[in-house]
Amino acid sequence: MPVITIEWLEGRSARQKAQLARAITEAFVEAAKVSPEQVWIVFRDVARADWAMGGKLLSDR
Amino acid sequence: MPVITIEWLEGRSARQKAQLARAITEAFVEAAKVSPEQVWIVFRDVARADWAMGGKLLSDR
Amino acid sequence: MPVITIEWLEGRSARQKAQLARAITEAFVEAAKVSPEQVWIVFRDVARADWAMGGKLLSDR
Amino acid sequence: MPVITIEWLEGRSARQKAQLARAITEAFVEAAKVSPEQVWIVFRDVARADWAMGGKLLSDR
Amino acid sequence: MPVITIEWLEGRSARQKAQLARAITEAFVEAAKVSPEQVWIVFRDVARADWAMGGKLLSDR
Amino acid sequence: MPVITIEWLEGRSARQKAQLARAITEAFVEAAKVSPEQVWIVFRDVARADWAMGGKLLSDR
């Protein structure tokens, strides 16, 4: 039943997302005894122009 | 005052979103006595490459 | 597959939530042809001390 | 440590986002004594076709 | 129209939240020309047992 | 830089959360080459009275 949301900078490959989806799902199955089909994972790629740290957009750093 | 967020797979039409916006707003007005203008709804379309179930991205299933 | 999140002020009853869950789910089944079991709805009750409008916490208005 | 998410209608400029990032970060440093590098801000631009108020998509109003 | 969500560790006072609500709202009014009443801010206090960094819950560090 | 949010039913133990935090962080370090300290994970426990599936609150099923 978990809904896992991953918010990060855009630029990762489909392969990296697939690897993470597999590893995270396995972790939930093992630690929380949920069925893999119940693990929903959503990736949200954020542009550098939409993420700020230290008071500055990453696109300006 | 409710903020309703809908996260789902991309591919729905503007007409489907308009129909849902109307029905959901009516449901809140009826069940929660809020004014329609106070019901804010945000749709977030997610690509199949960004949604995983069962440990796999939907674009790989 | 939709995940619907409802963020609003605390104080609504279980009955109001149940009524909304039913109405929203029906709206998705009708407008988006999803199965009811695939419609996940999460309510997030927010205290008046944690919601601000017009620059003021609602608990201070 | 705060993660600040800003969800609003698309159409704002990079300059407006930069100005907001700076002002919000300063507000957290002053009010909450956090280090600027610990203040993470994410902007999520929403299309008018994905935002409804009063039961209507903004693109239909 | 912005919805601003602040996710951080619990423990801040109502006074700090009020100060932030005021400063953030002013920043949006100035930078984005929105009306103060349209600026909605939600604080989400997170327990140390529910926040992890470096692979460890903060309550275990 | 990833912010990972986990929304699930309340009732898991601190030990399960700690195990998941470790495994998810390792997965990001391996797949995405981020530093562990940059992986922020937030757990949001949801009561059965606040989660609906199939049009019914889980507390009513």
Side-chain angles (χ1 to χ4, degrees), chain D residues 8 16-25 41 43, chain E residues 27-28 31-32:
Chain D
W8 62 356
Q16 284 176 305
K17 291 181 184 175
Q19 183 180 343
L20 278 165
R22 198 168 44 239
I24 293 170
T25 303
I41 302 174
F43 292 92
Chain E
F28 274 91

Side-chain angles (χ1 to χ4, degrees), chain B residues 17 25 36 40-44, chain D residues 7 44 50-55:
Chain B
K17 291 180 184 176
T25 302
W40 292 8
I41 303 175
V42 174
F43 291 93
R44 286 200 208 129
Chain D
E7 202 141 23
R44 287 199 207 129
D50 285 323
W51 195 304
M53 295 174 74

